[in-house]
Every structure is written in structure tokens, then in C-alpha cells.
Amino acid sequence: MDIEIDQSGRIEVLTVDTALGFSNKHQSAVLIPAVVKKQVSGRLFDRGVRPKLVSIRMFAAGLYLLLEDYLPHIGMLTIDREFPGWEPEIRGLLLGHIRSRYARFPTEGIAFGEIGKASRAHEVAWQTYRGKRPAEKAITTKQLLRIC
């Protein structure tokens, strides 16, 4: 299955929740509460992780948590271009997480592109962010730290 992924509520803005959602014939979303992002970023800063890499790590970890239950069925991921210039780092982190469970997941299975407002993935993320659609998972500090 090929899926598109979008984000609503920037992950690097620690005062708002973040929703990550995907859609094709299936739909799913995770919600990362602002308090979780603050706690995780604080812990990563304490470990010496550079500020921009904190956001990149949380984004890649959030993507993995969104996808983990669907990994056996995914052929191609297209992720909205949220961090221009950082795609290689995001791909590397996400591949590392995925390959811990599915060693043969191909590098070329992850692409980045413009996911417009007409995309169903945008609608899933946006509706979850606005509280109009329940998230399949509300991510906890422990879950996000485990992946980061």
C-alpha cells in the first residue's frame, strides 16, 4: 500500500499539539501533545542533542509511531516536506526505526513531496489536530523517548 503523510501543528512549536496522519484506503493519525513535546525536547537537550535535531528526531519518531502497526503492508511512503534540506536525516532516522522490525524495508520506499490541502492525509491530520477526529494513538512521553 502506498500512503501520504501530513502534519498539522508544527512539531518544533512546543506550545501546540502535533497531529501526524496518513491516508489511502486506510486512515490513521497520532497526536503528540504539547506537554509531551516539551518533556521529550528537554530530555534530548539534556543529552546534548542540538536544537534543530531535537525536532527532526521527534518528527521521525512520531512518523514511526504512526506507521508501526501498518509496516508489513506499506510499499511507498510520501511524507510532506516539513523540513526542507533535512530529508536525508529524517529518512535515515525513520529507516533505522523501521528496519529494527523490518530489515528489508527499501530506502527508496520513503519519498518526500508536497502534500497539498486537497490530500486526504492533510484532512486526517488537520481534523485530528482540531479535535474533530479522534487519534488512533495519543503518544506519551515514554513512547516518544523510547524511539528518540
Side-chain angles (χ1 to χ4, degrees):
M1 109 175 127
D2 296 347
I3 60 174
E4 293 183 338
I5 302 170
D6 198 16
Q7 167 186 251
S8 286
R10 304 283 307 172
I11 201 147
E12 66 272 28
V13 178
L14 302 180
T15 57
V16 300
D17 296 344
T18 296
L20 297 169
F22 78 76
S23 182
N24 67 356
K25 62 183 175 184
H26 299 287
Q27 295 182 344
S28 185
V30 296
L31 187 69
I32 306 171
V35 66
V36 168
K37 296 190 308 183
K38 285 179 195 172
Q39 291 170 346
V40 170
S41 65
R43 297 281 285 281
L44 293 177
F45 288 142
D46 291 347
R47 293 183 195 168
V49 177
R50 292 188 336 226
K52 188 63 172 189
L53 285 176
V54 167
S55 298
I56 300 301
R57 283 191 183 189
M58 288 196 303
F59 185 64
L63 291 171
Y64 176 75
L65 291 166
L66 170 67
L67 300 170
E68 70 180 336
D69 295 337
Y70 302 91
L71 287 172
H73 312 290
I74 294 173
M76 180 71 187
L77 305 171
T78 302
I79 303 166
D80 191 32
R81 211 170 249 125
E82 303 288 352
F83 296 97
W86 289 90
E87 286 91 353
E89 287 81 2
I90 295 167
R91 179 183 285 115
L93 289 166
L94 183 55
L95 273 173
H97 302 320
I98 291 171
R99 287 180 174 163
S100 70
R101 288 183 59 193
Y102 298 97
R104 294 186 183 186
F105 193 89
T107 302
E108 56 277 358
I110 299 175
F112 294 87
E114 299 300 324
I115 307 296
K117 293 187 188 296
S119 167
R120 290 187 314 191
H122 172 78
E123 190 66 21
V124 170
W126 177 247
Q127 292 295 328
T128 303
Y129 175 73
R130 301 277 298 170
K132 308 237 184 236
R133 177 192 186 283
E136 276 68 25
K137 292 182 194 174
I139 304 303
T140 66
T141 301
K142 183 177 178 179
Q143 288 173 312
L144 197 59
L145 271 175
R146 177 178 52 88
I147 307 298
C148 282

